[in-house]
Amino acid sequence: MNEVGQNKFGITLVYLFLIIVTLVSIFPFYWMFVVGSNDTSAINQFPPAVIPGNSFIENMQKVFERIDFIGVMMNSLIISGSVTLSVLFFSSLAGYAFSKLTFKGRDAAFVFVIATMMIPPQLGLIPNFMLISWLGWIDSFSAVIVPSMVSAFGVFWMRQYIGSSVPYELIEAARVDGCSHFRIFWSIVLPIIRPALATLGIFTFMMTWNDFLWPLVVLKDKSVHTIQIALRTLNDVYSTDYSMILAGTFMATVPILIVFLIFNKQFIAGLTEGATKN
Amino acid sequence: MTNNIAVKQEKRNKVKVYNQKKTDRNTGWLFISPFFILFGIFGVFPLIFTAFLSLHRWDILGTREFIGFENYINLFVNDPLFWKTLGNTISIWLMSTIPQLIIALMIAFFLNQAFLKGKTLFRLGIFVPNVTSVVAVGIVFSAMFGTQFGVINYVINLVGLDSINWKGSYLGTHVAIAAMVLWRWVGYNTIIYLAGLQSISKDIYEASTIDGANKFQQLIYITIPMLRPIIIFTVIQSTIGGLQLFAEPLIFGEGGNYQGLTMTLYLYQEAFTRFSFGYAAAIAWMIFFIIIIISLVNLFISQRIKSA
């Protein structure tokens, strides 16, 4: 190809552009660490410190004094883990039924599932809050886990995947042998769709981990805060101590970055397939 | 005799097929029921109840009074703050979405070039902001956009310009919040566009090269028209996301003139700091209608572009 392709100047420009964009993407992470590892006084001056300092441990100790960092990380882990497992199970179960079982009303039901994805979540925010209060679930993990136990996106995604990757013959053969549908689902379908489970799992985990508005509304007590709510509290209450706040933010961001770097292939593949099929 | 057996066999088969159909139906509905039960409770019921709430004066203690459309009339006539939040939301949405999609398209176009090395690394670096939590983004950008000691103002000073009062000015607050959205979503849209680009057949480009088209002409006459459905998809997604903006302004601060107050943040405050559930429910329906109207306008514009 000509122009950009063969012209040295053009190539350099393209690389320059991409390098700048990548640096801008990474800079805020670097900056979290710079601020989080310096003294607040080193940050609140002109020119500010632009390289990491050596106060990170000290800043982290302040974070530990102010919020139960380990506790809220565990809360986030329990909530995201439960939601993920449940979404994987119920979505693939529904996906199996939608793609491999023929029954009356199936296609209409599936269109309905797709349509629910268009509804903005805030529309039901207040009644959901009232419902959760009525159930007595305010400040309990059920408030955030139960409403998210199955997702329309997950059902959609699993139907597409199971539809294209599990052959009918396999299911027929198992039925002739007398297997129940659940048995077929559990011992034949699930092992085949492991890659799709990985993608949906990592996706769901990250979405739940980063969720903010709903936990903010229903998890009031410190002891049930997720890491996101705790960070927000930290930022609100101690707004002047940026070094401490950003040390905490950095520590809260690192685990999810590591998870992403390990699973980035599944994550990106899932994203593109979801989008191009929509 | 043999005939009799055959008939019996056939009957049995029929019964089996019939039973299988029945099991299929029951199991089918059983397997998809968790979604419908949960959605019925946490999706359908709240939707209807929001409409019911919005016709009442209703507070957290449950004292309620039917007032018809008064909440909506108040929103339209007596609440300049609501219109301000609409203006803020649209301003921030435009400031974040337009550059975001253009930059994403450019990056995707470059990443799709055959000569480029280190694609995986670039892609990873550009995508990584998307997995960061919105709270973390809000906090670090608030620090970077600090008026007194923020690194952005420091760089602006280095170039010889005056510091900008990010938290105090209209434009400053909108730019800072839009920057958070932009930063977090460019990578996501890049990945989507890249998938679209990779599905366009190489033959078309080769044919056009033979016809003497240059790279820029290819971009305008081949790439963008072929990507149209995906571009529409990203525009709709950014519209829905942009009009629901909440956490970024909550963390950055709405500012003295409410210049950072978005519609959803206003809804949240009405509901959970002032506890006027009825009024907040009316706001929720308004947000929903506005999203639908803007999405339709989007669709209309893209249809026009298609026919032009």
Side-chain angles (χ1 to χ4, degrees):
Chain A
M1 294 200 182
N2 57 9
E3 304 268 322
V4 186
Q6 280 155 8
N7 180 334
K8 275 254 164 64
F9 180 68
I11 294 178
T12 319
L13 268 185
V14 168
Y15 275 108
L16 197 66
F17 174 77
L18 289 176
I19 288 169
I20 290 173
V21 172
T22 311
L23 287 180
V24 170
S25 294
I26 296 171
F27 180 77
F29 296 104
Y30 172 72
W31 197 245
M32 272 181 219
F33 190 67
V34 169
V35 176
S37 62
N38 274 292
D39 215 67
T40 300
S41 59
I43 298 302
N44 287 350
Q45 65 176 27
F46 249 37
V50 290
I51 50 162
N54 47 19
S55 315
F56 185 72
I57 305 284
E58 196 184 312
N59 288 329
M60 265 324 278
Q61 275 164 350
K62 280 197 231 163
V63 173
F64 283 126
E65 281 164 26
R66 274 155 206 181
I67 56 171
D68 178 13
F69 191 83
I70 305 290
V72 294
M73 288 292 265
M74 284 310 289
N75 289 348
S76 277
L77 196 65
I78 293 167
I79 292 169
S80 309
S82 321
V83 169
T84 304
L85 285 179
S86 156
V87 164
L88 287 181
F89 178 74
F90 287 123
S91 301
S92 51
L93 196 63
Y96 169 64
F98 275 129
S99 61
K100 295 297 173 194
L101 299 180
T102 32
F103 53 95
K104 216 177 162 193
R106 182 187 75 170
D107 296 335
F110 187 65
V111 170
F112 183 80
V113 172
I114 302 282
T116 63
M117 286 200 259
M118 314 287 170
I119 301 168
Q122 303 97 324
L123 199 51
L125 187 66
I126 302 159
N128 268 324
F129 171 76
M130 295 164 89
L131 186 64
I132 295 293
S133 318
W134 180 73
L135 288 167
W137 285 357
I138 298 288
D139 287 339
S140 97
F141 288 165
S142 315
V144 278
I145 295 173
V146 176
S148 317
M149 276 172 64
V150 53
S151 78
F153 174 77
V155 174
F156 165 76
W157 166 253
M158 278 304 171
R159 177 194 180 254
Q160 306 302 92
Y161 195 88
I162 296 173
S164 63
S165 66
V166 181
Y168 269 110
E169 295 76 36
L170 212 57
I171 293 168
E172 279 307 310
R175 295 207 66 179
V176 170
D177 290 346
C179 281
S180 71
H181 274 300
F182 188 77
R183 181 80 198 283
I184 296 174
F185 166 74
W186 191 257
S187 4
I188 297 176
V189 176
L190 279 188
I192 298 179
I193 60 166
R194 242 182 243 153
L197 291 173
T199 303
L200 182 64
I202 183 76
F203 215 80
T204 309
F205 188 87
M206 288 205 179
M207 296 281 278
T208 317
W209 183 274
N210 289 339
D211 200 11
F212 181 58
L213 176 54
W214 181 240
L216 183 68
V217 171
V218 290
L219 302 179
K220 305 278 185 200
D221 192 80
K222 267 186 187 168
S223 64
V224 288
H225 276 180
T226 64
I227 180 67
Q228 310 304 340
I229 311 298
L231 279 182
R232 191 257 170 161
T233 313
L234 206 59
N235 187 45
D236 250 28
V237 181
Y238 308 94
S239 56
T240 46
D241 195 352
Y242 260 125
S243 295
M244 181 271 294
I245 296 168
L246 281 165
T249 309
F250 183 77
M251 274 308 287
T253 306
V254 165
I256 205 77
L257 281 186
I258 293 173
V259 172
F260 168 70
L261 290 177
I262 296 171
F263 294 104
N264 76 82
K265 277 207 183 95
Q266 284 95 326
F267 194 82
I268 290 177
L271 202 81
T272 49
E273 272 177 60
T276 42
K277 272 175 187 160
N278 257 326
Chain B
M1 191 67 192
T2 37
N3 207 1
N4 210 4
I5 290 176
V7 168
K8 263 190 183 166
Q9 186 67 39
E10 203 172 292
K11 249 190 187 167
R12 203 177 295 155
N13 276 347
K14 251 189 193 162
V15 169
K16 203 178 168 196
V17 167
Y18 174 74
N19 278 340
Q20 198 168 337
K21 260 194 176 164
K22 208 174 153 192
T23 345
D24 267 19
R25 193 187 64 208
N26 292 343
T27 325
W29 280 103
L30 180 70
F31 283 9
I32 65 175
S33 60
F35 176 83
F36 287 91
I37 293 169
L38 278 176
F39 185 74
I41 300 171
F42 299 104
V44 177
F45 158 73
L47 208 67
I48 298 163
F49 202 70
T50 303
F52 180 69
L53 267 176
S54 72
L55 304 175
H56 290 78
R57 191 174 286 126
W58 195 311
D59 65 22
I60 195 167
L61 299 170
T63 42
R64 61 177 196 245
E65 180 194 344
F66 181 80
I67 52 168
F69 286 95
E70 204 180 302
N71 282 328
Y72 292 94
I73 295 167
N74 280 336
L75 260 184
F76 271 96
V77 184
N78 299 328
D79 193 353
L81 192 54
F82 173 72
W83 296 104
K84 194 170 195 173
T85 64
L86 176 62
N88 291 338
T89 309
I90 292 183
S91 161
I92 295 168
W93 165 60
L94 289 175
M95 276 167 140
S96 58
T97 303
I98 296 173
Q100 171 191 324
L101 297 183
I102 294 174
I103 295 170
L105 197 56
M106 281 170 68
I107 302 172
F109 184 71
F110 290 143
L111 282 180
N112 197 36
Q113 298 302 317
F115 68 83
L116 196 79
K117 289 189 179 67
K119 273 179 192 150
T120 326
L121 215 59
F122 280 129
R123 206 174 60 172
L124 207 60
I126 291 163
F127 186 75
V128 85
N130 194 244
V131 300
T132 320
S133 85
V134 65
V135 179
V137 175
I139 291 173
V140 72
F141 272 68
S142 297
M144 282 162 47
F145 279 98
T147 302
Q148 262 189 303
F149 304 112
V151 66
I152 309 261
N153 268 347
Y154 174 64
V155 173
I156 287 176
N157 289 348
L158 280 187
V159 200
L161 298 169
D162 284 339
S163 287
I164 293 170
N165 186 1
W166 300 108
K167 295 203 173 160
S169 70
Y170 244 90
L171 192 65
T173 303
H174 287 196
V175 168
I177 295 174
M180 297 180 199
V181 181
L182 181 74
W183 181 76
R184 192 144 169 269
W185 291 99
V186 160
Y188 172 85
N189 287 298
T190 303
I191 299 295
I192 305 281
Y193 288 149
L194 196 56
L197 286 174
Q198 282 161 352
S199 67
I200 300 176
S201 147
K202 295 267 183 299
D203 300 352
I204 305 176
Y205 289 109
E206 275 164 25
S208 73
T209 308
I210 294 167
D211 288 345
N214 64 31
K215 276 276 154 161
F216 184 71
Q217 287 169 323
Q218 286 180 343
L219 178 71
I220 299 294
Y221 295 109
I222 300 175
T223 313
I224 291 180
M226 297 280 281
L227 273 186
R228 230 180 58 94
I230 289 188
I231 293 176
I232 292 174
F233 170 76
T234 58
V235 169
I236 290 176
Q237 275 209 322
S238 321
T239 307
I240 295 173
L243 296 179
Q244 296 181 31
L245 205 62
F246 166 75
E248 291 90 341
L250 177 76
I251 287 162
F252 189 77
E254 58 193 46
N257 291 317
Y258 301 110
Q259 72 268 23
L261 191 63
T262 57
M263 288 192 293
T264 305
L265 186 52
Y266 187 47
L267 157 73
Y268 171 79
Q269 291 181 348
E270 278 298 322
F272 299 108
T273 55
R274 287 187 279 282
F275 301 112
S276 0
F277 284 176
Y279 198 61
I283 298 175
W285 270 104
M286 286 298 289
I287 297 177
F288 186 50
F289 285 134
I290 291 166
I291 289 178
I292 290 179
I293 292 169
I294 294 185
S295 301
L296 287 178
V297 171
N298 271 337
L299 227 64
F300 178 72
I301 293 174
S302 49
Q303 291 294 335
R304 287 289 289 269
I305 292 173
K306 188 187 185 181
S307 54

